[in-house]
């Protein structure tokens, strides 16, 4: 069996030797984010998920965010850490979202302050959730921006059977 040398997040963020880290990787609300900035922020979010939130390989991260940079960071950081990103629409009704989150059994839920506040109040029905992350300051939740301040990045979790370098 071949050892895998990367995962989806690394494939998406990998720079070939001729790639410029200043190249625009994504544009959000008319503002370009360079490949280097995206890599840095995903590495910090990954470190936050791993070190601060205790995310382990195979655990789920429910992402209740609109399309935008926080969604991109959360999705890629979860996958980079060997987690399973579970995107859900933040416009779902409260009861529906609680049932879906409970069925997904995530370790982490990330969303806007209003959504996370509602989920914290219904925490008893979400026993698998160890950490709520909010894009807005909120009692009982980790602030999304604080995770982007964490230095260092834990090792990338390798998954699968074949080498990504051979396939990409």
């Amino acid at each position: 069996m071949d050892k895998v040398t990367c995962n989806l997040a690394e494939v998406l963020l990998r720079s070939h030797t001729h790639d410029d880290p200043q190249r625009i990787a994504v544009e959000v609300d008319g503002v370009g984010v360079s490949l280097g900035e995206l890599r840095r922020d995903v590495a910090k979010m990954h470190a936050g998920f791993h070190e601060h939130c205790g995310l382990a390989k195979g655990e789920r991260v429910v992402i209740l965010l609109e399309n935008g940079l926080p969604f991109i960071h959360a999705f890629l950081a979860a996958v980079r850490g060997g987690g399973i990103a579970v995107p859900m629409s933040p416009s779902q009704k409260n009861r529906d979202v609680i049932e879906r989150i409970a069925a997904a059994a995530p370790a982490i839920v990330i969303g806007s302050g209003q959504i996370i506040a509602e989920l914290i109040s219904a925490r008893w029905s979400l026993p698998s959730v160890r950490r709520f992350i909010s894009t807005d300051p909120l009692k009982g939740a980790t602030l999304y921006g604080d995770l982007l301040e964490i230095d260092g990045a834990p090792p990338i979790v390798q998954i699968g059977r074949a080498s990504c370098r051979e396939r990409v």
Side-chain angles (χ1 to χ4, degrees), residues 68-141:
L69 209 46
F71 178 91
I72 294 167
H73 290 157
F75 186 92
L76 292 175
V79 173
R80 182 177 189 208
I84 300 165
V86 183
M88 292 186 183
S89 172
S91 62
Q92 298 177 73
K93 293 182 181 173
N94 190 20
R95 180 179 168 154
D96 292 340
V97 76
I98 290 172
E99 289 175 4
R100 289 189 174 115
I101 292 171
I108 298 171
V109 178
I110 182 169
S112 70
Q114 180 181 357
I115 293 169
I116 296 300
E118 292 172 7
L119 295 175
I120 288 173
S121 69
R123 185 180 193 114
W124 57 269
S125 58
L126 302 169
S128 69
V129 179
R130 289 193 311 271
R131 183 79 61 178
F132 291 98
I133 301 171
S134 174
T135 56
D136 307 303
L138 183 65
K139 185 177 179 180

Side-chain angles (χ1 to χ4, degrees), residues 58-76:
E59 289 187 312
R60 293 172 189 86
V61 177
V62 165
I63 305 168
L64 284 159
L65 296 167
E66 298 289 341
N67 292 338
L69 209 46
F71 178 91
I72 294 167
H73 290 157
F75 186 92
L76 292 175

